[in-house]
Each structure stands twice: as C-alpha cells, then as structure tokens.
Amino acid sequence: MSAQWETVIGLEIHVQLSTDSKIFSGASTAFGAQPNTQASAVDLGLPGVLPVVNEAVFPKAVSFGLAIGADIGQRSCFDRKNYFYPDLPKGYQITQMDEPIVMGGSVDINLKDGSTKTIRITRAHLEEDAGKSLHEDFHGMTGIDLNRAGTPLLEIVSEPDMRSAEEAVAYARTIHQLVTYLSVSDGNMAEGSLRCDANVSLRKRGEETYGTRTETKNVNSFRFLEQAIKHEITRQREILESGGRVAQETRLYDPDKNETRPMRSKETATDYRYFPEPDLLPVTIDEAFINRVRDRMPELPGQKKQRYTEMWQLSDEDAGLISSDLGLATYFEECVSATDDPTLSANWVRGDLLAALNRAELAIEESPVSAENLGQIIRRIKDGTISGKIAKTVFAGLWEGKASSADEYIEVEGLIQVSDSDALEPVIDKIIADNPKQVEQYQAGKTKLLGFFVGQIMKETGGKANPQQVNDLVKSKLD
Amino acid sequence: MSDSITERSLTEQLRDLEAGQYSSRELTEAYLQKIASASDINAYITVSSEQAIESADLADQRRASGDSAPLLGIPIAHKDIFCEKGVKTSAGSKMLDNFVSPYDSTVVSKLKEAGVVSLGKTNMDEFAMGSSNEASFYGPVRNPWNHDRVPGGSSGGSAAAVAASLCSAATGTDTGGSIRQPAAFCGITGLKPTYGRVSRWGMIAYASSLDQAGPMARSADDCALLLTHMAGQDHRDSTSSSVEAEDYSSALTSDLSGLKIGICTEFMDGVDSAVADILDQTRQSLEALGANFSEISLPNTHLAIPAYYIIAPAECSANLSRYDGVRFGYRCEGPENLEDLYKRSRSESFGREVKNRIMVGAFALSAGYYDAYYKKAQQIRRLIKQDFEEAFASVDMILGPTTPGPAFALGDKLDDAKAMYLQDIYTISANLAGLPALSMPAGTEDAMPIGAQLIGNYFQEANILRTAHQYQQVTDWHKRRPEKGETA
Amino acid sequence: MADEVTVTEEVVKDVAELAQLKVAEGDLEVLTAGMKTILELAEQMQSVDTTGVNPVSNPLDATQRLRADEVTESDQHELYQSVAPETEDGLYLVPRVVE
C-alpha cells in the first residue's frame, strides 16, 4: 500500500442465530436438508400466510447488544425491504430499519503488534435470510431452494473504522468469537452461519471525506475476506492512480480467481421502499427482560483470560490462546476440574492436544480424546501410575480410538508404571551383568553413565518402570 | 318447498334441521339448484357441488348420531379470498386462476369445525380492490335487485349470493367498506369487526393493516351466529387480538334504553335526500327503542379517502410482490429471462385497478416521497382515530349512511375512478381507525336497498349487533328480498 | 416535501420498474391517468399540519406476541409444489439468474 492512500473499511456481518425453528415460521433451520423440504407455507410466501415471531431471537440479540455495550431498543419494530429476486419469496425481506434491536456499542480488536483498537458498531438488527439459487444447469434454468429462507439473522453493521484487511479480519474474528461465546450462533462458517459484506473505499491520507465505496457481498471465510479486501484495495488504487473514478457498486468475490467483479443481478440496484411490516407488531423489550438476559450471559473471552491468569496463574499467552475459542476454553476448564491442575492442563491442551487437532484438521468439538479422558491421563501422571512419556502413548492410543478411557488403555496395554523393587531388581541385575565395561567406567568415576543404565532398564521394561525409582536402585547397587 | 327453505334465515334453518323438518342435504341441494338457475348473477367463481353434498351428508349423519356442532349442516359461501384446502382460491384474479389452496384459512377451518357446509367461493373484485365487483377476472356480479346495477364490492359475490338466497350466509372481507357497501347495495346485513377480531391467516392480503373478515347475512342475529364462530385469537396471526371473543348471539335481546348514539355531522354532508330521510327514520325507530341521540363531529373525515388511497396501495404493492410466477400462480409463456418472467407474469394476469394501486403504492413508498405520502397518511390515520376516541367519550355508537346512494348502474363509474373511490367515503374511516361497523338495510330508493351504518367502539361487536337486531325486531327492511331482479 | 407531484410518463416507467410491471406503450396513458387520480386525491392530505403526530401502523396499537422456538412444520414440499409452474428435483425453476 503506497503511503499516499488510506483504506477505509466497514463490515456488515450476517450472523445466523442458532434457533431450532425459523424467525417467522415453525419450519426447521437444520442444515443440509433436501431442497425445499424445510420451506413452510410462510417461508414460501404462499397467498394468505402470515409471519409470527420466534421468541428465541430476542435474548440472543439482546445478549450480543449487552456484550458490546450497546443500547437496546425498548421497542423493536420490523419493516419490509422490497425487491424482486427469486430467492426472496415474498418480494420483500422482513428486517429492521428505523427501530433496530441493538444500537451503538463497540468491540476491541487485538492487532498483530500487540496493540488493541476499538471498532464502533452502528447497529445490529434482526432479519430473515433468503433462499439459495443453484446455478447448475437445469436445462439452462436456475433452481431455487428456499430451505434457508426465513432463517433468523442478526446483521451487525460496523462504523467505517477499519484501515486494513488485517483489521477487518481481526474484527470479523472478534465478532465470530463473541457470537459463539454467547451461543448467539454456532458460528459455522462453512455452513454460512457468518457472512460478511465488506464496504471498502480509499482516500488520500489526511483527507476527511470518504472516497466512493464498493460493497463486496457474501464473503464466508476469514481468508476470503482478507483476499477480497486486498484485491479490492489494489483494484481501487489502480483506478484512482490512473486518474479514474471508483464506481459505487455491489461486487462479488470469486475465490477461484481471487478477484471481485460487479454483481449484475436485480438484487443490487433498487429503491428498497422500506415501510413498517403491517403483519407484525412492535416488540416490547423491557428492563426486566434485559436484566434476565444479562444474568444468564456467559463469561466473555476477556473475562475468561483474566480469570485464567489471575486465578490459575496461566501465562498471558496461554490464557489468551485458550480463551480465544469457547470450545477450547470449555475443554480446558473441564480438564482443570478433572485434574485440579491448571498448569498441567494448559500444557497438554496447548501442546499435544492442539498439535494433534491441527494435524488432523479437527475442531476442538471433534477431538477424539475427550476432556474427561485427557483429565484422566493427567491424573495418572500425577498419581505416578504412568510417566509423562507413557502419557503420550496413552494419548495417542485414545486418539486412535484404541480404548474408551485412559485407565482402560493403560490396563489393557499393561502400561502401569513398575514401582515394585522386587520386580525391578532382576532387570537391574541383568543390565548390570550384561554391561561389565560400563560398570567399570562408572565405578571409575564416570557417573554420567547412570543415565545409560536407567535408559537400558526403561527400554527393557517397555518404559513402564518408575524412572526415579530405577535411578535410586541403580545408584545403590553400583555405588 | 325448496324455494321457501332457501329463504329462511340461518337461525330458522338451524331450528328446522334440529327438528328434522329437512336435511342438510336437502337444503344444500336446494341452494345448488338455485345457484345453477341464477348463474346470470355470477355470484360464484367456484361452486363445490360434490364436496358440498358430501359434507351435507356427513352433517346429517353427525346430527343423527347426536352431534350438536353449532352450525351443523348450514350451507354457506366463502368469498374467494379465503383459502380453502383443495379448492381453487383465486381472489378474483387471473393470477390465481390455477391456484388450488394447500391449506385452509382460519375462517374456513373455524366454520368447518362449527359444522357448516361450504357451497363454494364467491365472486369479488380482483384482490378485493374495487367497489362494484366489475374488477373481477370472472366478470361482474349483477345486483339481484336489478341486474343492470352493481352489487357493490369487493365482496359483491357474497352480498349478491345472500340477497338472492344462493346461500344461507356468507363470509366477506372489508378493507375500506368491502363488506358494508355491498351489504347496503344488496339489502343484507354485514359486519366488519374490530381489526384483529377475526384471524387473517389464509385470507389473501390486500392491505394488511386494514383487512378484516366478517359475516354477511340476512339479519343481525345471523351475523352474530356466524361471527361467534369466526372470531377469536389465532396464534398464526400476530395482529389477531387477545381480547376474548364472545357468544355474540347471547347479547342480542336486551333493549336499547340508555344507549347513546351519535349522528356525525360530517357524514350527513353529501348524502342524497332519500338517504337522509331514511337515516332520519332509522333514528326515530332507534329512539323509540330507547336510544338517545346527539350530534358528534369527526372533523378529519374528509381526509379518510386520501389517506386510505395511499396506505392501502402502499401495503398492497408489497403484499402483491409474491405473485411473481415462480412458486404458484400464473406464469407467462416462454419467459426470455428472469425480468421477462416477472414483468409478463404480473402484467398479463393483474387487472387494471390492481396494477394502478400497485403503482401508486410503489410510488408512495419510494425514496423522496415516503414522508409526504405514506408517513403523512399514517399520521392522518392517527388524527382520524383520535376523532373517534373523542366521539366515543360521549356516545356508545355512531349512526350514519353506508353509501352516498343506492347501487349504481354497471359500467357507470368504470371510467370515473375518482367517483368509484368516493363510494367508500363513509366506510373507510372505520377501517383506518380499526373500529367495528355494520351495515343494515334501512329503506329503499328507486326500489333499491339503502343501508344504515352503525360504527361502534373497539370490540363492541355485541353492542352493534344488539342494536341492529333490536332495530330488525321493529322493522322489516331486512326481510325484503329482490323479486326477480329482472333487467329493467 | 413533494409539493406538487407531476406524474410524468418517466415517473410511471420508473415506478413500473420497481413494481416489475411491463408497461406497453399503449398502457402508459391509462396508468399515468390512474396514478394521477389517486395522487391528486392524496394531495388533500398536504393541507393538514401533522408535525409531531405519531403515525399509526397498527390500529390497535398492540404489541407483538411471540412464538416458542419449536419446529411445528413438517415437509410438505410435494403438496406446495403441486401448485408451482415449474419444478425439478424439488427445486423451483426460473430462467437462468446471472449474479
């Protein structure tokens, strides 16, 4: 980025609320059903049908609002946004225009240089999702699946406070983290639970007014978001530097070609003719309701991190990493409660567990080793049943599904640490007898060879011997 | 005998069925015959003969086995705006000519539960937009009193069917007068309940914040009986009211002493002298029954039509966007592309008045005009509502005309849209305020019926019905039936 | 505020675009006249000062009832698609959409 230009970015993030049924109908929101099997008469906009609001969307929206320090509208009203598009059955989308549920607020994002930056949020409002157009060739026609129509969304609109693709991604990640923490959304981006529209413009550094912006729609991964914004910055800069003007338009990001292109559909250029939805009445959100939501809100990432460092003496880095993901934090906390050892739990979670998850490209929720099992492994290290080294074997065994619990695996594989001197002595005697040369050297003062004997004995016992005890026994025999 | 049984009131027919004087099947067949012989009136879009006879037989069996569903075996007609499962539901439009509803509207299902037999679906102005029933894809309905005249609209088919004894009673909907005006033109009793009294689920929307379903019948007590089985909160309609519905029949008999009725000065401007005389006689009859009269003012009355003709088109412009040729309804031949599909499907199947209102609505909501039109109209609606609130502080009910005069001739106002719109001048205020209002036959002019309108306070349906019923105990306007309705 | 609306044929064409209605040249005059009739009626509203008046959007000024988050609808796509103009493999078909 040349020093001459400053990038200005605002994001509109559509978060799918995790409800069982749709926002205005009793149809299921489950992902992956056969086309149109979850599109009820209401979702299809058949003649004479009427919307009825799902109560579950309000506590979710309010908890998000509280988490970002926003004002919660006491009267939350729905409006119709009118445009024609085949995935929009009624010819209007029910959304919120003048009286959204969440107004204002902000989130802090962490940047790579360790600094934090506050991003202001303009508003967040409830609305229904549209269906899906399938462009595979149906004799030159497009197929419409309306299963997703009516799925509840919270659209979170930021101020144009971001200045780089990295900041935009950091902001999107922060919102993702927050909505999953609050159980507002499952945050499953592959299934479209979080989608971003990026408003990008450039202006000469030092200028006050914004340049003409483009809106890149429907970006559904952090990586694509970064690429789309970077591409858009380069494209706009090239236009501006060659003396051209950026057209205000809606664009689509094509991840295959890594470029954005103008959207040609009708959805883009129209006068939306918003007006209050006459089929729905204003929803009253009183102080008591807000308080109930507040009381039930879970601990947020920042609060968790603080608790980990202050109560459990985790390092800033460990605490930050573990608290960044609710699933990971939950796993970790279960581990701690099973072991009463935050340090060892953190070491295992950060180390072996995350490494294994990364290798297998699995989410924490998909971990083959449960928190309970990892807790058991840690407990067995602590009570001397197994060594740290054997623990890794147990972990690997459980990861591969060779047993259903750590204890079972230790038992079946005979991995219990041998701490019985009567059992160990014959082995030690054998090793001493087999290595007269090393015995001689040791006794001549080369005491470093103690490690050699311990190693041989550990090998002989398949690692099951208690290393400290072996150490003591060898010493007493040779000294 | 068949003629006499079809002309008995719903209340009488219930008694007869109970006493075994005739069966529901006999009654149903009598109506079906009459419908067939009165096809020139064009009251029905769909006649469900087979289905009607089947359900009449079923009703007879149920009655024989001791079932006492409140409207068991009574043959009624539904305005073709109410979705009825397995039956074509067209809303009077070519757009829905091929639409067989996959579900019942709440009105249809509640009345089914009460035991009615559905004879079929009545003609109407397309999507309920009209005041003469001339805006139907299925052709105009003729007024049974005089076939050269309109029956009124948009529930013209229901009104004509009741007046010509082609059903025992009928359902209608009223957005700006669509129950009351045709009731007045056809000499029957029709009630538009309080907004939210009857569920709108499955009732094809015209203007959501104004639409309300209600009964159309020979008398106030028939309306009461029907309304009892239409009204009530519905979890599928967010705007349906949680105020308890009543047994509207039980409150009909108490007298009117002490009832305070207002005459609205603004309503009396512009009615013809015959209508003015009829209202004066209505007042005298009601006074004789114990009611006290006083003058009241609704100063913003003249703004009702302007506000209505912005609000209703605005809402309809969005409500009718779903008719796009994709999931149901008419699709044009060989669309070249998506835009062509939308535009031709809509333009080839919507009639002129529907297109006109969609256009006005889209305009009134468009950028730069919203405040001057839509918002302004909704503010005026507040003023009109406040006028009524003030009036109801001093009176229980308001008496006025339903229409400026009797039914006009077919074709008379087709080329004068403004004159057509002004037909609703006395009915529209009640829709804007959401108040219940009833039209009852109160006299004749040129041998055509004239209606008197009673507007009540919110949820005062029982009181309005009682007033009309008491009036009908001492007058016989509601008993008069068209002779033959021959073309003059 | 729009003091005097001039319903030109251009305005009618723009609005028809918003409403996705096809305007044949012959219809233009009729549609323009139709819109004019209503908008002229509506002009009367401008004579009233409504500053500060709270618009009505629901005549009862009631508040919204809410529905429990329960799946109450079952798959009825065959029934619903029985009234559809064109479907295939459970999908509604429309002329090819270019995004």
Side-chain angles (χ1 to χ4, degrees), chain A residues 176-412:
Chain A
H176 180 261
Q177 184 188 66
L178 201 54
V179 295
T180 47
Y181 251 85
L182 294 165
S183 303
V184 163
S185 174
D186 65 16
N188 189 330
M189 296 183 73
E191 293 177 2
S193 293
L194 193 142
R195 307 192 295 269
C196 303
D197 298 345
N199 291 299
V200 178
S201 66
L202 299 189
R203 64 178 167 191
K204 284 227 167 80
R205 221 164 266 285
E207 247 172 45
E208 299 256 316
T209 52
Y210 296 126
T212 306
R213 67 188 164 88
T214 61
E215 181 180 10
T216 303
K217 269 193 161 339
N218 263 327
V219 187
N220 64 358
S221 87
F222 297 130
R223 192 161 60 90
F224 291 164
L225 180 63
E226 180 161 6
Q227 287 170 1
I229 292 174
K230 282 185 168 161
H231 173 271
E232 195 48 29
I233 292 169
T234 309
R235 193 187 69 86
Q236 290 188 17
R237 194 187 60 214
E238 282 168 7
I239 292 173
L240 293 170
E241 287 182 347
S242 62
R245 290 171 61 173
V246 173
Q248 178 158 359
E249 63 190 357
T250 307
R251 303 179 67 87
L252 272 182
Y253 177 66
D254 183 338
D256 296 329
K257 296 183 185 152
N258 186 24
E259 62 173 33
T260 65
R261 58 178 162 81
M263 240 173 127
R264 276 176 288 179
S265 71
K266 276 271 153 204
E267 195 184 352
T268 60
T270 192
D271 175 347
Y272 289 128
R273 291 160 287 141
Y274 286 96
F275 76 105
E277 162 60 289
D279 287 333
L280 295 170
L281 306 170
V283 177
T284 311
I285 294 174
D286 58 16
E287 206 52 44
F289 178 83
I290 294 172
N291 287 335
R292 278 200 303 279
V293 173
R294 189 183 281 117
D295 291 345
R296 279 192 236 127
M297 270 171 66
E299 196 180 26
L300 295 175
Q303 297 166 316
K304 268 198 197 300
K305 184 180 169 191
Q306 196 179 357
R307 183 162 59 90
Y308 292 171
T309 52
E310 287 175 6
M311 240 174 73
W312 289 344
Q313 280 84 44
L314 257 53
S315 71
D316 238 39
E317 204 193 336
D318 282 2
L321 180 86
I322 292 171
S323 66
S324 71
D325 181 286
L326 180 63
L328 199 62
T330 307
Y331 188 104
F332 167 70
E333 287 178 28
E334 276 174 40
C335 218
V336 173
S337 70
T339 61
D340 215 16
D341 193 331
T343 311
L344 209 47
S345 297
N347 288 345
W348 272 89
V349 168
R350 274 216 59 173
D352 295 68
L353 177 70
L354 272 186
L357 288 171
N358 288 341
R359 268 198 306 275
E361 292 182 352
L362 289 178
I364 180 70
E365 289 77 13
E366 300 163 306
S367 170
V369 179
S370 67
E372 193 192 341
N373 274 335
L374 181 58
Q376 204 170 57
I377 295 175
I378 295 170
R379 280 210 309 278
R380 294 302 164 249
I381 300 171
K382 286 173 58 111
D383 67 13
T385 310
I386 55 172
S387 65
K389 195 169 163 225
I390 289 292
K392 289 181 191 289
T393 313
V394 177
F395 182 83
L398 288 179
W399 186 271
E400 284 157 24
K402 288 181 180 164
S404 61
S405 77
D407 283 351
E408 182 196 324
Y409 190 73
I410 293 167
E411 168 97 37
V412 171

Side-chain angles (χ1 to χ4, degrees), chain C:
Chain C
M1 176 158 303
D3 295 323
E4 196 61 37
V5 184
T6 10
V7 184
T8 61
E9 297 194 340
E10 267 328 289
V11 170
V12 173
K13 281 180 183 166
D14 286 351
V15 175
E17 196 59 36
L18 286 177
Q20 291 288 291
L21 291 170
K22 196 178 185 77
V23 184
E25 284 302 319
D27 300 344
L28 200 54
E29 209 177 316
V30 178
L31 277 172
T32 309
M35 280 183 72
K36 269 189 181 154
T37 305
I38 291 183
L39 292 172
E40 277 165 16
L41 268 177
E43 279 311 308
Q44 285 180 63
M45 297 193 301
Q46 309 307 337
S47 64
V48 195
D49 183 9
T50 51
T51 316
V53 176
N54 183 20
V56 169
S57 50
N58 171 268
L60 296 181
D61 291 321
T63 54
Q64 180 67 31
R65 277 192 305 279
L66 303 175
R67 177 177 63 77
D69 182 21
E70 284 163 5
V71 176
T72 54
E73 299 293 321
S74 53
D75 171 20
Q76 297 199 64
H77 78 280
E78 282 179 18
L79 174 64
Y80 295 149
Q81 293 189 357
S82 67
V83 294
E86 197 170 358
T87 58
E88 188 174 312
D89 296 341
L91 297 162
Y92 293 97
L93 295 192
V94 297
R96 196 163 187 82
V97 177
V98 186
E99 278 199 325

Side-chain angles (χ1 to χ4, degrees), chain A residues 135-170:
Chain A
H135 303 296
E136 288 97 80
D137 199 15
F138 294 95
H139 337 290
M141 300 187 90
T142 292
I144 307 294
D145 174 10
L146 295 168
N147 277 350
R148 210 179 60 190
T151 298
L153 298 179
L154 186 67
E155 178 175 340
I156 302 161
V157 182
S158 84
E159 291 288 310
D161 283 353
M162 288 150 278
R163 295 291 173 267
S164 66
E166 291 77 11
E167 286 186 14
V169 171

Side-chain angles (χ1 to χ4, degrees), chain B residues 100 195 233 237-238 240 303 309 327-328 331 342-343 346-347 356 359 372-373 376 378-379 382 385, chain C residues 5 15 17 19 22 34-35 38 43 45-46 48 50 53-54 56 59-61 64-65 84 86 93:
Chain B
V100 175
Y195 181 82
Q233 188 176 10
D237 175 4
S238 303
S240 71
L303 296 172
Y309 276 101
R327 298 165 315 288
F328 52 81
R331 171 180 275 200
Y342 285 159
K343 287 187 175 170
R346 290 165 64 75
S347 297
N356 188 28
M359 294 280 288
Y373 286 102
K376 185 89 183 177
Q378 294 288 40
Q379 287 175 317
R382 175 74 60 193
K385 194 168 142 69
Chain C
V5 184
V15 175
E17 196 59 36
K22 196 178 185 77
M35 280 183 72
I38 291 183
E43 279 311 308
M45 297 193 301
Q46 309 307 337
V48 195
T50 51
V53 176
N54 183 20
V56 169
L60 296 181
D61 291 321
Q64 180 67 31
R65 277 192 305 279
E86 197 170 358
L93 295 192

